[in-house]
Amino acid sequence: MRFLRLIRISFIAFRYGLDELVLSSIHHPVAAFLLKFARFGRKHTLPRGQRLREALEQLGPIFVKFGQVMSTRRDIVPLDIADELALLQDKVPPFDPDLAVSQIEKSLGKPIDQLFASFEREPCASASVAQVHVAYLFDGRKVAVKVLRPGMLKAIERDLALMRSFASLVQGFMPDGKRLKPKEVVAEFDQYLHDELDLQVEAANCSQLRRNFVEAKRDGLLLVPEVHWEYSTSSVFTMQWMEGIPINRVEQLREHGVDIEKLAVMGVEIFFTQVFEDGFFHADMHPGNILVSLAPESFGQYIAVDFGIVGSLSDFDKNYLAQNFLAFFRRDYRRVAQLHIESGWVPATTREEQLEAAIRTVCEPHFDRPLSEISLGQVLMRLFQTSRRFNVEIQPQLVLLQKTLLNIEGMGRELDPNLDLWKTAKPFLEKWMWRRVGPRGFVDQMKKEASQWSDILPAIPRLVHKNLNKADHAKELNEELKRLRRLQKWQVYAVGLLALVNTGLLIWLIRS
């Protein structure tokens, strides 16, 4: 089966001229010869980005999703191809409702009419790995039932094995292959896909995000559905039904009286709250997954759905990113360069002033301008081109953050073209940094470590006494070692004297 799949992939790649795209990026005489051979008898009139997008659509859902991920890697993918890949839609034809019902009954262990008061057989949404059905519980609550596509795991494993092989070739033969880490990119994609294939993981992500926003009562920034765990397994995920208008339907939102400018600012605040407060963020924030509520009790609030892809950051990552953002907002390019060197992202031998000048050249033209006149994607692309000169290593843990930031930019353009992303985010980051390094940060850290102190403090007298005893024992041992060394020295003298006596006796006996 893998061999047949490889043949189909090769046929589609040849049909759309993907072999030419690969060979043209390899600067080697052999590649140049093969490129001439590949172009013989073929003429492609469509742009290369469009050919790649259509080929991925032909190859199926896994390659479509991989194209979506690659559209965010503008450090690897040329801008024209990245823009085309961004057009890939996460929409595929639904699978047979009978298979969906069978999957639900098998997973939950009961007939469908015993699980739900009513169940709509026709799906209301269909994506690459699952589809969603509307249902009602016996207490009248409306729910969304997400069902995994049958046979997805086998198909994914098969295609991922081929992607790993291709990544090895790219890393071994393409320029900058090792620096761009294609193997790590495929490994991340592998992890994201397997997380999406386990709907229990998605349910846990949803529950965590709800706890961070809804249960924490963060001024109604973000609504997250409640998980119905008794109706959820690794292949079925049942959640509260959320009613709202997709974020990109701006005119419809205006007609209902939603404050669009306020909505744009809230979107930026939600993003930075997730990243820097929680270190846990929704990483698939395209318009299909973000709605706006029109219910009276939550009017104008964001609604998040689809939690298959989330990102997380360590305290080190959060602190490093916050300092970078603040340095950018303050136009302190020397500090940005220092942070890159201190973090090990660039070689320690990098000249600080050269890196500073390169970053200034990229970023300075984009300040004090409305979002309608700048593109964060273009800024990132220029930064990546600059980073190549300084051998900046790509940080895999930040790929999702970059993707999410680009999504935020897209939503900002839809809502308020005059939104100043820098000005909106700067006060939030300054406040966050003050809470982290100021008096409040110190108190919060002490509270966080309180449970550890409760165990350590009572044991301090015993530990002090034990270490003092160790010091006494160490002193005694040191004296004993000195005594042994003196003894060993006298033993050497004695052996030497005995050797001289024996030698003298031997000479006397010979003379006798």
Side-chain angles (χ1 to χ4, degrees):
M1 290 297 291
R2 183 179 297 182
F3 180 70
L4 294 177
R5 178 62 171 168
L6 183 59
I7 291 177
R8 173 169 169 75
I9 291 173
S10 301
F11 173 75
I12 293 175
F14 182 81
R15 177 184 173 188
Y16 287 94
L18 302 189
D19 51 337
E20 294 182 21
L21 298 183
V22 174
L23 291 171
S24 61
S25 64
I26 302 176
H27 305 292
H28 192 276
V30 175
F33 171 77
L34 292 175
L35 181 60
K36 292 180 180 179
F37 178 77
R39 285 174 174 167
F40 183 76
R42 287 191 295 171
K43 186 176 181 180
H44 297 285
T45 57
L46 295 176
R48 60 178 184 174
Q50 183 177 345
R51 282 188 280 140
L52 178 58
R53 175 178 59 81
E54 292 181 0
L56 294 176
E57 289 174 340
Q58 288 285 319
L59 290 170
I62 306 306
F63 283 85
V64 168
K65 189 163 286 292
F66 185 70
Q68 292 172 344
V69 172
M70 292 306 298
S71 70
T72 69
R73 294 302 304 268
R74 294 169 183 256
D75 54 328
I76 298 174
V77 181
L79 192 58
D80 62 315
I81 294 179
D83 289 340
E84 190 69 34
L85 293 180
L87 299 177
L88 288 170
Q89 298 297 316
D90 196 18
K91 296 286 184 182
V92 294
F95 59 89
D96 189 347
D98 289 338
L99 291 176
V101 171
S102 175
Q103 180 92 301
I104 294 170
E105 292 180 337
K106 181 180 178 181
S107 297
L108 300 179
K110 290 182 181 180
I112 197 75
D113 56 358
Q114 293 183 21
L115 292 167
F116 304 104
S118 65
F119 180 86
E120 295 185 9
R121 294 178 61 84
E122 291 302 317
C124 61
S126 178
S128 54
V129 298
Q131 66 187 33
V132 180
H133 295 259
V134 176
Y136 287 86
L137 302 179
F138 288 101
D139 59 8
R141 286 179 293 174
K142 188 177 182 180
V143 295
V145 184
K146 190 171 185 177
V147 190
L148 197 67
R149 284 180 173 270
M152 284 299 296
L153 182 60
K154 184 181 293 184
I156 283 177
E157 292 292 353
R158 177 191 62 198
D159 287 345
L160 280 173
L162 296 175
M163 286 182 181
R164 292 188 195 99
S165 300
F166 181 70
S168 298
L169 292 174
V170 170
Q171 186 158 321
F173 295 101
M174 287 190 68
D176 286 341
K178 292 182 179 179
R179 187 184 72 87
L180 298 176
K181 303 180 181 179
K183 290 183 179 180
E184 284 83 347
V185 173
V186 175
E188 285 180 45
F189 182 59
D190 184 346
Q191 180 181 344
Y192 302 153
L193 273 179
H194 279 85
D195 285 347
E196 284 195 82
L197 285 178
D198 189 344
L199 297 186
Q200 197 86 346
V201 172
E202 182 176 350
N205 294 338
C206 175
S207 182
Q208 178 67 52
L209 201 63
R210 178 180 173 83
R211 185 160 56 251
N212 290 347
F213 278 90
V214 179
E215 297 177 12
K217 299 180 180 179
R218 281 182 170 154
D219 301 325
L221 283 175
L222 183 67
L223 296 175
V224 182
E226 179 185 359
V227 177
H228 294 282
W229 289 106
E230 64 273 28
Y231 301 100
S232 299
T233 65
S234 60
S235 58
V236 177
F237 172 27
T238 303
M239 73 192 97
Q240 173 189 1
W241 179 265
M242 305 299 286
E243 199 75 51
I245 298 176
I247 191 72
N248 60 342
R249 297 182 185 176
V250 180
E251 291 305 318
Q252 190 175 350
L253 291 171
R254 289 189 189 277
E255 290 173 3
H256 285 87
V258 176
D259 188 338
I260 300 300
E261 289 71 23
K262 180 182 177 182
L263 202 64
V265 173
M266 284 175 58
V268 176
E269 185 177 351
I270 288 170
F271 169 73
F272 282 100
T273 298
Q274 290 182 86
V275 172
F276 294 106
E277 293 285 353
D278 305 325
F280 184 86
F281 58 95
H282 192 300
D284 201 13
M285 297 181 69
H286 62 74
N289 289 339
I290 302 295
L291 313 176
V292 178
S293 174
L294 299 180
E297 66 276 9
S298 58
F299 184 81
Q301 292 184 27
Y302 280 87
I303 301 172
V305 295
D306 194 342
F307 310 92
I309 304 178
V310 299
S312 59
L313 298 172
S314 67
D315 286 340
F316 174 83
D317 289 333
K318 289 191 293 183
N319 187 63
Y320 173 78
L321 286 168
Q323 291 192 56
N324 261 288
F325 274 119
L326 283 174
F328 272 120
F329 295 147
R330 295 168 179 167
R331 307 190 191 189
D332 187 354
Y333 305 118
R334 174 58 65 94
R335 182 57 184 153
V336 176
Q338 290 171 346
L339 286 166
H340 276 69
I341 296 171
E342 290 169 4
S343 67
W345 283 23
V346 295
T349 55
T350 301
R351 292 184 60 181
E352 192 175 286
E353 67 277 8
Q354 289 184 349
L355 183 57
E356 175 193 3
I359 295 170
R360 181 189 298 110
T361 302
V362 172
C363 297
E364 190 64 21
H366 298 280
F367 280 97
D368 294 331
R369 297 168 62 186
L371 194 61
S372 59
E373 298 179 13
I374 68 172
S375 169
L376 188 59
Q378 291 179 0
V379 175
L380 287 173
M381 183 60 186
R382 290 286 307 279
L383 283 172
F384 289 138
Q385 289 173 342
T386 301
S387 72
R388 184 174 299 179
R389 288 172 45 203
F390 294 92
N391 296 316
V392 175
E393 288 199 4
I394 304 306
Q395 303 299 310
Q397 76 272 22
L398 301 181
V399 171
L400 275 181
L401 184 67
Q402 173 198 332
K403 170 182 181 289
T404 308
L405 193 56
L406 291 171
N407 285 337
I408 291 294
E409 179 193 28
M411 289 199 305
R413 288 184 184 279
E414 291 285 343
L415 295 172
D416 182 10
N418 295 314
L419 174 68
D420 189 332
L421 185 65
W422 317 111
K423 187 180 295 184
T424 304
K426 183 181 176 182
F428 178 90
L429 285 171
E430 288 178 335
K431 183 179 177 181
W432 180 83
M433 285 296 291
W434 173 247
R435 287 202 306 266
R436 186 171 181 86
V437 301
R440 180 178 171 182
F442 176 78
V443 173
D444 289 343
Q445 191 63 26
M446 290 295 292
K447 288 180 180 178
K448 184 178 179 181
E449 299 292 338
S451 59
Q452 299 294 327
W453 280 108
S454 64
D455 292 334
I456 294 172
L457 286 174
I460 285 179
R462 177 176 55 82
L463 294 172
V464 170
H465 181 265
K466 184 177 180 180
N467 280 281
L468 287 174
N469 285 339
K470 285 183 178 179
D472 291 339
H473 289 318
K475 186 176 180 180
E476 292 175 3
L477 182 60
N478 191 42
E479 291 295 330
E480 184 66 21
L481 287 172
K482 288 180 180 178
R483 191 179 66 81
L484 286 173
R485 289 193 190 100
R486 288 195 298 269
L487 183 59
Q488 287 174 346
K489 188 183 295 182
W490 284 110
Q491 285 177 341
V492 170
Y493 294 157
V495 170
L497 182 60
L498 183 60
L500 288 173
V501 171
N502 287 335
T503 303
L505 287 173
L506 183 61
I507 293 172
W508 181 76
L509 288 171
I510 293 172
R511 288 181 176 179
S512 299

